[in-house]
Amino acid sequence: MNNLSYQQAGNIDTAVTLLEQTPANRIIAGGTNIIDLLKYFVFEADLLVDINALEDLKQVQKLNQDGIRIGALLTNAETAYHPIIEKHYPLLSKAILAGASAQIRNMATNGGNLLQRTRCYYYYDPEVPCNKREPGSGCSAINGFNRIHAILGHNEQCIAVFPSDMCVALAALDANVNVVGKNGKRSIRFGDFHKLPENTPQLDNNLAHSELITGIDLPARGFKDHYSYLKLRDRSSYSFALVSVASAFDIEDGLIKEARIALGGVAHKPWRIREAEEFLLNKTPERKHFETAAQILLHGAVGFEHNLFKIDLAKRAVVRNCLMALKPDTQRPGAKPSL
Ligand code: SF4
């Protein structure tokens, strides 16, 4: 860990001003990822700007048209167990609780969840090439051990995946991310927040350096009657997803009127394909249609030596999770789905 300074910001303007002074000034909130990154010398910091005193960012607020805003500084645990989230957005609650450990969820913030870095092993090892850590150095994963890596949206620059569970649900729920920077406030559609590697694999998202996440808006539609989050991983807990799926439906008179399916663990961002969801509209919610939706979602998937299994795994996970979403009982802790 390099020598660095630390300063608490008493308000958002101070935080933004300190942040924009140099790219080596960084925000710290829960610290559950950035401290590791500093300790492993993945990157350095001149100044850590502590924003934990910004109480305004620790609220859950009701918005017009019945949506809600969840503060960037609420912890993942506070969010998952908030009565409004549990009642109206159980998909989000379920996805958050699938991630990390109870201890980490008690510290990690919502803003930090969106900004966490990939868990590609090579990214955390400064001794080996990695375009995300050092652009132009190469990608050690492409010909290395790539079991956890991407099957969609990757390129020769980077095949890392974005590791969040929470963000897979936020993608399915059509959330918006509120940010503030030196040029004022803006709202970013969740699908536009994270990015594919393209020619800038060092960047995970479209946030400018001096911008701060203030909150996440959720539309009124929470899919509380038909939802499911399925996470498949090497261990049954404390592990990142090999593949995860968030599914949510509105069903009327036996037909699907709205469908959302988002995948995690397969790409540099939560993966959502509108054509797959549109295919399901006005169809009966049954296996054969979910199988077709899965084919559309995984169209063009390309694996590597150690992760080819993910392509079939993801297709099966989509079908299973969509069937589970039809039976809310499958979402109770300890429930054993019979599908
Ligand atoms: Fe680095 Fe991305 Fe390659 Fe991993 S996959 S080594 S993060 S460039």
Side-chain angles (χ1 to χ4, degrees):
M1 200 150 153
N2 65 302
N3 287 326
L4 51 85
S5 301
Y6 166 89
Q7 185 170 340
Q8 284 189 322
N11 55 59
I12 289 175
D13 287 347
T14 302
V16 170
T17 301
L18 290 170
L19 200 55
E20 71 183 6
Q21 286 172 354
T22 158
N25 288 359
R26 299 176 186 274
I27 294 289
I28 185 167
T32 55
N33 192 200
I34 191 172
I35 297 296
D36 285 348
L37 293 162
L38 290 166
K39 282 182 175 175
Y40 291 145
F41 297 100
V42 176
F43 56 59
E44 297 186 342
D46 286 344
L47 173 69
L48 287 184
V49 181
D50 184 341
I51 57 171
N52 283 295
L54 306 183
E55 295 296 326
D56 288 352
L57 308 190
K58 298 178 182 175
Q59 316 288 327
V60 172
Q61 297 171 258
K62 290 195 174 170
L63 300 174
N64 292 337
Q65 295 160 341
D66 297 330
I68 64 159
R69 173 167 298 165
I70 52 177
L73 284 179
L74 273 180
T75 67
N76 290 176
E78 288 167 336
T79 306
Y81 293 121
H82 193 284
I84 295 177
I85 302 294
E86 284 189 315
K87 182 173 180 187
H88 297 288
Y89 303 94
L91 174 64
L92 179 59
S93 181
K94 176 96 178 169
I96 292 172
L97 295 177
S101 64
Q103 293 88 342
I104 289 175
R105 293 193 297 266
N106 284 339
M107 287 297 295
T109 63
N110 294 332
N113 194 303
L114 271 61
L115 299 178
Q116 64 182 295
R117 306 308 305 267
T118 183
R119 264 57 180 190
C120 171
Y121 338 103
Y122 303 104
Y123 176 66
Y124 287 79
D125 182 355
E127 301 297 318
V128 301
C130 169
N131 286 325
K132 186 175 284 298
R133 180 171 22 78
E134 190 180 342
S137 64
C139 173
S140 295
I142 288 179
N143 295 310
F145 186 54
N146 39 43
R147 176 175 174 78
I148 64 171
H149 289 76
I151 52 173
L152 289 160
H154 52 68
N155 64 13
E156 71 289 348
Q157 298 262 336
C158 180
I159 62 170
V161 301
F162 183 63
S164 169
D165 292 292
M166 178 182 189
C167 290
V168 182
L170 291 174
L173 290 169
D174 267 349
N176 283 287
V177 185
N178 300 314
V179 307
V180 61
K182 63 180 179 182
N183 296 321
K185 299 177 182 176
R186 66 181 178 125
S187 178
I188 306 170
R189 285 181 56 245
F190 203 84
D192 297 330
F193 185 81
H194 296 102
K195 61 180 275 298
L196 295 177
E198 300 156 351
N199 289 322
T200 51
Q202 71 275 24
L203 301 177
D204 296 339
N205 55 62
N206 292 307
L207 196 69
H209 171 70
S210 65
E211 284 182 318
L212 182 73
I213 299 175
T214 56
I216 301 159
D217 288 356
L218 298 176
R221 196 194 297 251
F223 300 97
K224 63 182 174 54
D225 294 327
H226 298 293
Y227 71 92
S228 181
Y229 187 73
L230 177 63
K231 179 176 183 178
L232 303 175
R233 46 190 157 175
D234 278 329
R235 297 190 304 260
S236 60
S237 65
Y238 297 9
S239 187
F240 293 95
L242 290 168
V243 169
S244 68
V245 192
S247 303
F249 302 108
D250 275 348
I251 297 173
E252 290 174 27
D253 300 326
L255 297 177
I256 297 172
K257 293 299 176 184
E258 182 73 26
R260 306 281 174 84
I261 309 174
L263 285 168
V266 297
H268 205 254
K269 60 184 287 186
W271 192 259
R272 205 173 144 195
I273 299 290
R274 302 291 166 148
E275 290 81 357
E277 298 169 5
E278 286 167 6
F279 167 80
L280 292 170
L281 297 184
N282 294 311
K283 295 200 168 55
T284 50
E286 57 183 309
R287 179 181 289 271
K288 67 178 181 182
H289 297 316
F290 295 141
E291 286 174 346
T292 302
Q295 294 288 348
I296 297 170
L297 266 162
L298 273 296
H299 179 74
V302 175
F304 298 87
E305 181 180 359
H306 301 284
N307 74 348
L308 279 167
F309 71 95
K310 276 193 177 188
I311 299 174
D312 274 344
L313 184 69
K315 289 177 184 171
R316 291 197 301 272
V318 168
V319 175
R320 179 186 176 92
N321 196 50
C322 289
L323 291 169
M324 288 170 68
L326 306 178
K327 298 184 176 184
D329 275 359
T330 59
Q331 301 303 299
R332 280 187 290 106
K336 292 185 179 156
S338 56
L339 300 172

PDB file of all heavy atoms in Angstrom, residues 56-83:
ATOM      1  N   ASP A  56     -27.317  12.488   3.619  1.00  0.00           N
ATOM      2  CA  ASP A  56     -28.389  12.545   2.608  1.00  0.00           C
ATOM      3  C   ASP A  56     -28.356  11.341   1.672  1.00  0.00           C
ATOM      4  O   ASP A  56     -29.359  11.036   1.009  1.00  0.00           O
ATOM      5  CB  ASP A  56     -28.267  13.819   1.763  1.00  0.00           C
ATOM      6  CG  ASP A  56     -28.665  15.044   2.549  1.00  0.00           C
ATOM      7  OD1 ASP A  56     -29.167  14.881   3.686  1.00  0.00           O
ATOM      8  OD2 ASP A  56     -28.475  16.164   2.039  1.00  0.00           O
ATOM      9  N   LEU A  57     -27.209  10.697   1.587  1.00  0.00           N
ATOM     10  CA  LEU A  57     -27.079   9.570   0.653  1.00  0.00           C
ATOM     11  C   LEU A  57     -27.369   8.229   1.334  1.00  0.00           C
ATOM     12  O   LEU A  57     -27.062   7.182   0.803  1.00  0.00           O
ATOM     13  CB  LEU A  57     -25.672   9.541   0.039  1.00  0.00           C
ATOM     14  CG  LEU A  57     -25.176  10.841  -0.603  1.00  0.00           C
ATOM     15  CD1 LEU A  57     -23.886  10.596  -1.378  1.00  0.00           C
ATOM     16  CD2 LEU A  57     -26.225  11.435  -1.530  1.00  0.00           C
ATOM     17  N   LYS A  58     -27.978   8.313   2.534  1.00  0.00           N
ATOM     18  CA  LYS A  58     -28.280   7.079   3.275  1.00  0.00           C
ATOM     19  C   LYS A  58     -29.779   6.868   3.431  1.00  0.00           C
ATOM     20  O   LYS A  58     -30.222   6.228   4.378  1.00  0.00           O
ATOM     21  CB  LYS A  58     -27.608   7.120   4.659  1.00  0.00           C
ATOM     22  CG  LYS A  58     -26.087   7.204   4.585  1.00  0.00           C
ATOM     23  CD  LYS A  58     -25.464   7.284   5.962  1.00  0.00           C
ATOM     24  CE  LYS A  58     -23.955   7.413   5.858  1.00  0.00           C
ATOM     25  NZ  LYS A  58     -23.309   7.605   7.166  1.00  0.00           N
ATOM     26  N   GLN A  59     -30.551   7.444   2.533  1.00  0.00           N
ATOM     27  CA  GLN A  59     -32.015   7.401   2.651  1.00  0.00           C
ATOM     28  C   GLN A  59     -32.628   6.477   1.604  1.00  0.00           C
ATOM     29  O   GLN A  59     -32.036   6.216   0.565  1.00  0.00           O
ATOM     30  CB  GLN A  59     -32.613   8.806   2.425  1.00  0.00           C
ATOM     31  CG  GLN A  59     -31.890   9.926   3.125  1.00  0.00           C
ATOM     32  CD  GLN A  59     -32.111   9.895   4.625  1.00  0.00           C
ATOM     33  OE1 GLN A  59     -33.174   9.507   5.081  1.00  0.00           O
ATOM     34  NE2 GLN A  59     -31.101  10.286   5.386  1.00  0.00           N
ATOM     35  N   VAL A  60     -33.851   6.030   1.911  1.00  0.00           N
ATOM     36  CA  VAL A  60     -34.734   5.474   0.884  1.00  0.00           C
ATOM     37  C   VAL A  60     -35.891   6.452   0.764  1.00  0.00           C
ATOM     38  O   VAL A  60     -36.577   6.725   1.751  1.00  0.00           O
ATOM     39  CB  VAL A  60     -35.261   4.075   1.254  1.00  0.00           C
ATOM     40  CG1 VAL A  60     -36.319   3.621   0.248  1.00  0.00           C
ATOM     41  CG2 VAL A  60     -34.125   3.063   1.292  1.00  0.00           C
ATOM     42  N   GLN A  61     -36.075   7.033  -0.419  1.00  0.00           N
ATOM     43  CA  GLN A  61     -37.115   8.050  -0.605  1.00  0.00           C
ATOM     44  C   GLN A  61     -38.148   7.567  -1.607  1.00  0.00           C
ATOM     45  O   GLN A  61     -37.797   6.944  -2.612  1.00  0.00           O
ATOM     46  CB  GLN A  61     -36.511   9.334  -1.198  1.00  0.00           C
ATOM     47  CG  GLN A  61     -35.503  10.028  -0.334  1.00  0.00           C
ATOM     48  CD  GLN A  61     -34.853  11.135  -1.167  1.00  0.00           C
ATOM     49  OE1 GLN A  61     -33.739  10.972  -1.644  1.00  0.00           O
ATOM     50  NE2 GLN A  61     -35.555  12.239  -1.368  1.00  0.00           N
ATOM     51  N   LYS A  62     -39.407   7.920  -1.363  1.00  0.00           N
ATOM     52  CA  LYS A  62     -40.436   7.647  -2.360  1.00  0.00           C
ATOM     53  C   LYS A  62     -40.386   8.732  -3.431  1.00  0.00           C
ATOM     54  O   LYS A  62     -40.215   9.909  -3.121  1.00  0.00           O
ATOM     55  CB  LYS A  62     -41.806   7.607  -1.708  1.00  0.00           C
ATOM     56  CG  LYS A  62     -41.966   6.383  -0.825  1.00  0.00           C
ATOM     57  CD  LYS A  62     -43.409   6.133  -0.463  1.00  0.00           C
ATOM     58  CE  LYS A  62     -43.499   4.812   0.286  1.00  0.00           C
ATOM     59  NZ  LYS A  62     -44.768   4.551   0.895  1.00  0.00           N
ATOM     60  N   LEU A  63     -40.546   8.343  -4.672  1.00  0.00           N
ATOM     61  CA  LEU A  63     -40.549   9.300  -5.777  1.00  0.00           C
ATOM     62  C   LEU A  63     -41.963   9.434  -6.323  1.00  0.00           C
ATOM     63  O   LEU A  63     -42.846   8.633  -5.999  1.00  0.00           O
ATOM     64  CB  LEU A  63     -39.620   8.816  -6.896  1.00  0.00           C
ATOM     65  CG  LEU A  63     -38.159   8.616  -6.518  1.00  0.00           C
ATOM     66  CD1 LEU A  63     -37.402   7.989  -7.685  1.00  0.00           C
ATOM     67  CD2 LEU A  63     -37.522   9.956  -6.144  1.00  0.00           C
ATOM     68  N   ASN A  64     -42.158  10.429  -7.173  1.00  0.00           N
ATOM     69  CA  ASN A  64     -43.438  10.534  -7.857  1.00  0.00           C
ATOM     70  C   ASN A  64     -43.663   9.272  -8.672  1.00  0.00           C
ATOM     71  O   ASN A  64     -42.731   8.580  -9.045  1.00  0.00           O
ATOM     72  CB  ASN A  64     -43.443  11.750  -8.786  1.00  0.00           C
ATOM     73  CG  ASN A  64     -43.405  13.039  -7.991  1.00  0.00           C
ATOM     74  OD1 ASN A  64     -43.795  13.051  -6.820  1.00  0.00           O
ATOM     75  ND2 ASN A  64     -42.926  14.092  -8.601  1.00  0.00           N
ATOM     76  N   GLN A  65     -44.888   8.973  -8.964  1.00  0.00           N
ATOM     77  CA  GLN A  65     -45.277   7.791  -9.735  1.00  0.00           C
ATOM     78  C   GLN A  65     -44.831   6.504  -9.041  1.00  0.00           C
ATOM     79  O   GLN A  65     -44.576   5.485  -9.688  1.00  0.00           O
ATOM     80  CB  GLN A  65     -44.716   7.860 -11.154  1.00  0.00           C
ATOM     81  CG  GLN A  65     -45.321   9.013 -11.918  1.00  0.00           C
ATOM     82  CD  GLN A  65     -44.481   9.424 -13.099  1.00  0.00           C
ATOM     83  OE1 GLN A  65     -43.303   9.114 -13.169  1.00  0.00           O
ATOM     84  NE2 GLN A  65     -45.085  10.133 -14.013  1.00  0.00           N
ATOM     85  N   ASP A  66     -44.656   6.592  -7.715  1.00  0.00           N
ATOM     86  CA  ASP A  66     -44.484   5.403  -6.885  1.00  0.00           C
ATOM     87  C   ASP A  66     -43.156   4.679  -7.021  1.00  0.00           C
ATOM     88  O   ASP A  66     -42.999   3.580  -6.506  1.00  0.00           O
ATOM     89  CB  ASP A  66     -45.619   4.392  -7.121  1.00  0.00           C
ATOM     90  CG  ASP A  66     -46.949   4.981  -6.710  1.00  0.00           C
ATOM     91  OD1 ASP A  66     -46.948   5.811  -5.788  1.00  0.00           O
ATOM     92  OD2 ASP A  66     -47.965   4.621  -7.321  1.00  0.00           O
ATOM     93  N   GLY A  67     -42.220   5.267  -7.709  1.00  0.00           N
ATOM     94  CA  GLY A  67     -40.894   4.672  -7.693  1.00  0.00           C
ATOM     95  C   GLY A  67     -40.176   5.048  -6.410  1.00  0.00           C
ATOM     96  O   GLY A  67     -40.707   5.784  -5.571  1.00  0.00           O
ATOM     97  N   ILE A  68     -38.977   4.536  -6.218  1.00  0.00           N
ATOM     98  CA  ILE A  68     -38.208   4.916  -5.034  1.00  0.00           C
ATOM     99  C   ILE A  68     -36.760   5.221  -5.421  1.00  0.00           C
ATOM    100  O   ILE A  68     -36.269   4.800  -6.469  1.00  0.00           O
ATOM    101  CB  ILE A  68     -38.213   3.830  -3.938  1.00  0.00           C
ATOM    102  CG1 ILE A  68     -37.537   2.555  -4.418  1.00  0.00           C
ATOM    103  CG2 ILE A  68     -39.608   3.548  -3.448  1.00  0.00           C
ATOM    104  CD1 ILE A  68     -37.080   1.696  -3.271  1.00  0.00           C
ATOM    105  N   ARG A  69     -36.109   5.980  -4.545  1.00  0.00           N
ATOM    106  CA  ARG A  69     -34.687   6.289  -4.702  1.00  0.00           C
ATOM    107  C   ARG A  69     -33.950   5.689  -3.516  1.00  0.00           C
ATOM    108  O   ARG A  69     -34.304   5.956  -2.353  1.00  0.00           O
ATOM    109  CB  ARG A  69     -34.476   7.803  -4.743  1.00  0.00           C
ATOM    110  CG  ARG A  69     -33.020   8.235  -4.735  1.00  0.00           C
ATOM    111  CD  ARG A  69     -32.908   9.690  -5.103  1.00  0.00           C
ATOM    112  NE  ARG A  69     -33.418   9.906  -6.461  1.00  0.00           N
ATOM    113  CZ  ARG A  69     -33.716  11.124  -6.964  1.00  0.00           C
ATOM    114  NH1 ARG A  69     -33.577  12.198  -6.226  1.00  0.00           N
ATOM    115  NH2 ARG A  69     -34.164  11.224  -8.204  1.00  0.00           N
ATOM    116  N   ILE A  70     -32.956   4.870  -3.793  1.00  0.00           N
ATOM    117  CA  ILE A  70     -32.149   4.315  -2.702  1.00  0.00           C
ATOM    118  C   ILE A  70     -30.792   5.003  -2.717  1.00  0.00           C
ATOM    119  O   ILE A  70     -30.158   5.154  -3.754  1.00  0.00           O
ATOM    120  CB  ILE A  70     -32.016   2.777  -2.802  1.00  0.00           C
ATOM    121  CG1 ILE A  70     -31.534   2.317  -4.173  1.00  0.00           C
ATOM    122  CG2 ILE A  70     -33.314   2.107  -2.470  1.00  0.00           C
ATOM    123  CD1 ILE A  70     -31.339   0.809  -4.265  1.00  0.00           C
ATOM    124  N   GLY A  71     -30.372   5.446  -1.542  1.00  0.00           N
ATOM    125  CA  GLY A  71     -29.149   6.227  -1.439  1.00  0.00           C
ATOM    126  C   GLY A  71     -27.904   5.420  -1.745  1.00  0.00           C
ATOM    127  O   GLY A  71     -27.833   4.218  -1.466  1.00  0.00           O
ATOM    128  N   ALA A  72     -26.919   6.112  -2.284  1.00  0.00           N
ATOM    129  CA  ALA A  72     -25.662   5.442  -2.648  1.00  0.00           C
ATOM    130  C   ALA A  72     -24.911   4.941  -1.428  1.00  0.00           C
ATOM    131  O   ALA A  72     -24.124   3.999  -1.519  1.00  0.00           O
ATOM    132  CB  ALA A  72     -24.781   6.407  -3.438  1.00  0.00           C
ATOM    133  N   LEU A  73     -25.138   5.563  -0.269  1.00  0.00           N
ATOM    134  CA  LEU A  73     -24.384   5.175   0.922  1.00  0.00           C
ATOM    135  C   LEU A  73     -25.134   4.231   1.853  1.00  0.00           C
ATOM    136  O   LEU A  73     -24.626   3.864   2.909  1.00  0.00           O
ATOM    137  CB  LEU A  73     -23.941   6.419   1.708  1.00  0.00           C
ATOM    138  CG  LEU A  73     -22.766   7.179   1.106  1.00  0.00           C
ATOM    139  CD1 LEU A  73     -22.433   8.398   1.952  1.00  0.00           C
ATOM    140  CD2 LEU A  73     -21.538   6.290   0.971  1.00  0.00           C
ATOM    141  N   LEU A  74     -26.341   3.860   1.486  1.00  0.00           N
ATOM    142  CA  LEU A  74     -26.977   2.766   2.241  1.00  0.00           C
ATOM    143  C   LEU A  74     -26.122   1.525   2.035  1.00  0.00           C
ATOM    144  O   LEU A  74     -25.605   1.290   0.934  1.00  0.00           O
ATOM    145  CB  LEU A  74     -28.372   2.480   1.689  1.00  0.00           C
ATOM    146  CG  LEU A  74     -29.553   3.282   2.212  1.00  0.00           C
ATOM    147  CD1 LEU A  74     -30.807   2.789   1.503  1.00  0.00           C
ATOM    148  CD2 LEU A  74     -29.705   3.124   3.704  1.00  0.00           C
ATOM    149  N   THR A  75     -25.983   0.725   3.062  1.00  0.00           N
ATOM    150  CA  THR A  75     -25.225  -0.504   2.855  1.00  0.00           C
ATOM    151  C   THR A  75     -26.075  -1.505   2.080  1.00  0.00           C
ATOM    152  O   THR A  75     -27.310  -1.395   2.012  1.00  0.00           O
ATOM    153  CB  THR A  75     -24.800  -1.141   4.187  1.00  0.00           C
ATOM    154  OG1 THR A  75     -25.972  -1.599   4.867  1.00  0.00           O
ATOM    155  CG2 THR A  75     -24.026  -0.161   5.056  1.00  0.00           C
ATOM    156  N   ASN A  76     -25.408  -2.487   1.539  1.00  0.00           N
ATOM    157  CA  ASN A  76     -26.124  -3.550   0.818  1.00  0.00           C
ATOM    158  C   ASN A  76     -27.106  -4.248   1.765  1.00  0.00           C
ATOM    159  O   ASN A  76     -28.221  -4.587   1.366  1.00  0.00           O
ATOM    160  CB  ASN A  76     -25.134  -4.563   0.251  1.00  0.00           C
ATOM    161  CG  ASN A  76     -24.308  -4.009  -0.904  1.00  0.00           C
ATOM    162  OD1 ASN A  76     -23.427  -4.692  -1.406  1.00  0.00           O
ATOM    163  ND2 ASN A  76     -24.554  -2.778  -1.338  1.00  0.00           N
ATOM    164  N   ALA A  77     -26.703  -4.467   3.017  1.00  0.00           N
ATOM    165  CA  ALA A  77     -27.601  -5.138   3.969  1.00  0.00           C
ATOM    166  C   ALA A  77     -28.804  -4.260   4.294  1.00  0.00           C
ATOM    167  O   ALA A  77     -29.948  -4.737   4.324  1.00  0.00           O
ATOM    168  CB  ALA A  77     -26.839  -5.487   5.245  1.00  0.00           C
ATOM    169  N   GLU A  78     -28.574  -2.974   4.543  1.00  0.00           N
ATOM    170  CA  GLU A  78     -29.696  -2.066   4.837  1.00  0.00           C
ATOM    171  C   GLU A  78     -30.678  -2.037   3.673  1.00  0.00           C
ATOM    172  O   GLU A  78     -31.899  -1.945   3.877  1.00  0.00           O
ATOM    173  CB  GLU A  78     -29.171  -0.652   5.097  1.00  0.00           C
ATOM    174  CG  GLU A  78     -28.440  -0.504   6.417  1.00  0.00           C
ATOM    175  CD  GLU A  78     -27.667   0.801   6.527  1.00  0.00           C
ATOM    176  OE1 GLU A  78     -27.297   1.393   5.474  1.00  0.00           O
ATOM    177  OE2 GLU A  78     -27.406   1.224   7.657  1.00  0.00           O
ATOM    178  N   THR A  79     -30.159  -2.105   2.471  1.00  0.00           N
ATOM    179  CA  THR A  79     -31.022  -2.076   1.289  1.00  0.00           C
ATOM    180  C   THR A  79     -31.816  -3.375   1.176  1.00  0.00           C
ATOM    181  O   THR A  79     -33.037  -3.362   0.994  1.00  0.00           O
ATOM    182  CB  THR A  79     -30.178  -1.850   0.029  1.00  0.00           C
ATOM    183  OG1 THR A  79     -29.389  -0.671   0.213  1.00  0.00           O
ATOM    184  CG2 THR A  79     -31.052  -1.692  -1.202  1.00  0.00           C
ATOM    185  N   ALA A  80     -31.124  -4.493   1.288  1.00  0.00           N
ATOM    186  CA  ALA A  80     -31.791  -5.793   1.107  1.00  0.00           C
ATOM    187  C   ALA A  80     -32.896  -6.014   2.131  1.00  0.00           C
ATOM    188  O   ALA A  80     -33.928  -6.623   1.822  1.00  0.00           O
ATOM    189  CB  ALA A  80     -30.773  -6.916   1.199  1.00  0.00           C
ATOM    190  N   TYR A  81     -32.688  -5.531   3.361  1.00  0.00           N
ATOM    191  CA  TYR A  81     -33.667  -5.765   4.436  1.00  0.00           C
ATOM    192  C   TYR A  81     -34.610  -4.585   4.654  1.00  0.00           C
ATOM    193  O   TYR A  81     -35.413  -4.606   5.598  1.00  0.00           O
ATOM    194  CB  TYR A  81     -32.934  -6.083   5.746  1.00  0.00           C
ATOM    195  CG  TYR A  81     -32.185  -7.396   5.700  1.00  0.00           C
ATOM    196  CD1 TYR A  81     -30.808  -7.440   5.900  1.00  0.00           C
ATOM    197  CD2 TYR A  81     -32.857  -8.595   5.447  1.00  0.00           C
ATOM    198  CE1 TYR A  81     -30.114  -8.649   5.856  1.00  0.00           C
ATOM    199  CE2 TYR A  81     -32.168  -9.801   5.403  1.00  0.00           C
ATOM    200  CZ  TYR A  81     -30.801  -9.819   5.611  1.00  0.00           C
ATOM    201  OH  TYR A  81     -30.125 -11.012   5.560  1.00  0.00           O
ATOM    202  N   HIS A  82     -34.537  -3.559   3.808  1.00  0.00           N
ATOM    203  CA  HIS A  82     -35.455  -2.432   3.968  1.00  0.00           C
ATOM    204  C   HIS A  82     -36.875  -2.901   3.648  1.00  0.00           C
ATOM    205  O   HIS A  82     -37.096  -3.609   2.648  1.00  0.00           O
ATOM    206  CB  HIS A  82     -35.054  -1.287   3.026  1.00  0.00           C
ATOM    207  CG  HIS A  82     -35.742  -0.001   3.354  1.00  0.00           C
ATOM    208  ND1 HIS A  82     -37.061   0.232   3.037  1.00  0.00           N
ATOM    209  CD2 HIS A  82     -35.299   1.105   3.987  1.00  0.00           C
ATOM    210  CE1 HIS A  82     -37.397   1.441   3.455  1.00  0.00           C
ATOM    211  NE2 HIS A  82     -36.348   1.990   4.042  1.00  0.00           N
ATOM    212  N   PRO A  83     -37.863  -2.529   4.471  1.00  0.00           N
ATOM    213  CA  PRO A  83     -39.233  -3.049   4.252  1.00  0.00           C
ATOM    214  C   PRO A  83     -39.791  -2.756   2.866  1.00  0.00           C
ATOM    215  O   PRO A  83     -40.506  -3.595   2.294  1.00  0.00           O
ATOM    216  CB  PRO A  83     -40.051  -2.329   5.332  1.00  0.00           C
ATOM    217  CG  PRO A  83     -39.084  -1.821   6.329  1.00  0.00           C
ATOM    218  CD  PRO A  83     -37.753  -1.700   5.668  1.00  0.00           C
TER     219      PRO A  83
END
